[in-house]
Amino acid sequence: MTVLEGPSIPATTPSEVAGFIARDHGLLIAGQWRPSSGGRTVVSVNPATGQPLATLAAGERADVDDAVAAARAALADPGWRDISPLQRGELLHALADLVEAHADELALIESLDNGKPVSVARAVDVGTTAKLFRYFAGWPSKFEGSTIPISPRGGLRVLNYTVHEPIGVVGAIVPWNFPMSMAAWKLAPALAMGNAVVLKPAEQTSLSTLRLAELIGQAGFPSGVVNVVTGLGSVVGAAIAGHGGVDKVAFTGSTAVGRLVTAAALGNMKKVSLELGGKSPHIVLPDADPAAVARAACDGIFFNQGQTCTAGSRLYVHADIYDEVMSALIDEARRIVVGPGHDPATQMGPLVSASQLDTVGSYIESGLADGAELACGGSRPAGLGAEYADGYFLEPTVLTETTHAMRVVREEIFGPVLVAMRWTDVDDLIDKANDSPYGLSAGLWTNDLTKAHRIAAAIKAGTVWINCYNLTDPASPFGGYKQSGWGREMGRAVLDQYTETKSVWVNLT
């Protein structure tokens, strides 16, 4: 262990983590770490202290050009182009092994950089990353083409078959809420299918992705197969989205930025997949267990500080059990321990940045001005140490007496703010649940499976959880309806996003 000066890193931080964070972090291009071509840097901040944590290279358009050139060279290199499907799978398995071997280190890096509890980073972020690489390690030798029985004109005998080929250079742009696991959402299928990647992590939370990139090299992936360009989204992200040498862009983030990515991609008509925002309804029928619902609803909105695209931010409770559910839920919310992510007792950490805290605070003020009532939270938690005076902390917040005319009900807040409403008529409930530009996910609680399946069928969302919430798995496709995105992440479905299908016709006459 090492003892460090300054407020950004706890004194108990292990030396390997402290040493990694203290570096001047460069860009990974063609297997080499180097500074930005313009020499500029960007500072990562510890959300728990509001103080500088690490210095990152701020990439320029020229650096994206170099990264794309390195990726195209890797695609043409026999060391990547010609390896067998089983060998690609072996590389992904080796990477999963390394992620698991460095799990505690990666989780602490993620916690310090993002703010989330280290227990969540260990179980969810690191655990999901390893599972993703393991799951997709099995696909390279199993993603088969097909032979197609056709009926050609003139009585010709023709063999028609399909093959799946790598799409080429993938530009992957990932968000700050799950930095490493979201990077793996894109890296795992892209690499399994034989592509090369230019990866842009969020400027607020690049550290875990940079450490993952080091492990990718240790696993044996050839130079240039994965390139990482850190920096501002308006510079690096925009350059990737508009680059003529990028064949596909995979983006996770806000719907507003997703529109910009789509517009930029039109230049060379590159393929685009988008995983965007959400304002997910969490529905409670009158036969549900209030205590179980209260626990699940708290987890659904306060997990990861509410900074989750699937957050169950709109709670609809049947009027018959509304008071009982809300009483139990508010008690649960008040018991949540808010503190720095590295503290084992912490259940909810700070928000990621000062601007995000300001945004969430403005939504709370808007809701109260519109007539909502503050049932709990809404302020900075008491009892935090002086070293966290500038941290971006907010109590779990519940607003009641809300209506669909309010911004807090209609817009994605991306913070620990729950809006609660009563309902009595199921048809009106479904209309209100679907009355949103988003359609990412929904939750439903009932012991009546007939009603559960009927309501699930009526909800316009890519994922519906029944008597559970926020479950994902690498084998199950994930994505949204409407303005929540295009395409699917994970599962068999995502492989089509990272391949081109070629139809081959052979005249046998």
Side-chain angles (χ1 to χ4, degrees), residues 21-38:
I21 289 174
R23 299 179 198 167
D24 286 335
H25 295 278
L27 315 174
L28 178 62
I29 299 176
Q32 300 296 316
W33 294 95
R34 69 185 215 189
S36 164
S37 59

Side-chain angles (χ1 to χ4, degrees), residues 133-384:
F133 290 129
R134 289 217 186 281
Y135 173 79
F136 283 103
W139 270 115
S141 60
K142 302 174 185 67
F143 191 51
E144 302 166 340
S146 59
T147 57
I148 302 171
I150 58 173
S151 304
R153 63 183 179 272
L156 292 177
R157 294 178 59 223
V158 175
L159 169 65
N160 180 223
Y161 63 90
T162 61
V163 294
H164 300 291
E165 298 180 347
I167 203 166
V169 174
V170 173
I173 304 172
V174 299
W176 46 255
N177 58 334
F178 293 95
M180 183 171 55
S181 59
M182 289 293 182
W185 276 28
K186 281 117 175 67
L187 286 169
L191 297 175
M193 294 296 100
N195 298 282
V197 180
V198 177
L199 175 62
K200 192 268 177 203
E203 55 264 36
Q204 300 93 335
T205 56
S206 296
L207 290 177
S208 63
T209 302
L210 293 172
R211 184 68 183 106
L212 178 63
E214 293 180 343
L215 299 180
I216 289 170
Q218 291 179 34
F221 285 86
S223 297
V225 170
V226 175
N227 307 272
V228 181
V229 184
T230 54
L232 300 179
S234 59
V235 178
V236 177
I240 291 172
H243 202 289
V246 173
D247 302 294
K248 180 246 172 30
V249 61
F251 171 79
T252 296
S254 71
T255 297
V257 177
R259 292 192 184 99
L260 298 177
V261 169
T262 303
L266 291 175
N268 69 334
M269 297 297 291
K270 61 173 61 67
K271 307 294 190 295
V272 177
S273 59
L274 305 169
E275 197 268 286
L276 305 175
K279 189 70 176 180
S280 299
H282 206 163
I283 297 165
V284 184
L285 271 62
D287 66 335
D289 177 0
V293 167
R295 291 190 296 271
C298 278
D299 185 62
I301 183 60
F302 302 131
F303 168 68
N304 209 51
Q305 297 75 251
Q307 299 170 145
T308 308
C309 54
T310 57
S313 51
R314 291 186 288 152
L315 182 66
Y316 297 91
V317 185
H318 193 276
D320 288 352
I321 61 169
Y322 178 88
D323 290 340
E324 190 176 358
V325 167
M326 294 308 300
S327 176
L329 187 151
I330 291 165
D331 285 346
E332 288 277 346
R334 286 172 173 160
R335 285 197 293 268
I336 292 173
V337 178
V338 181
H342 68 271
D343 186 337
T346 292
Q347 296 172 299
M348 196 179 94
L351 299 183
V352 75
S353 65
S355 63
Q356 188 64 18
L357 179 61
D358 289 344
T359 296
V360 175
S362 71
Y363 272 108
I364 296 172
E365 292 173 4
S366 169
L368 296 177
D370 287 341
E373 294 186 4
L374 184 66
C376 71
S379 303
R380 179 183 174 84
L384 294 172

Side-chain angles (χ1 to χ4, degrees), residues 107 111 116-124 341 344 346-347:
S111 176
K116 67 182 63 189
V118 71
S119 58
V120 172
R122 179 67 171 80
V124 177
T346 292
Q347 296 172 299

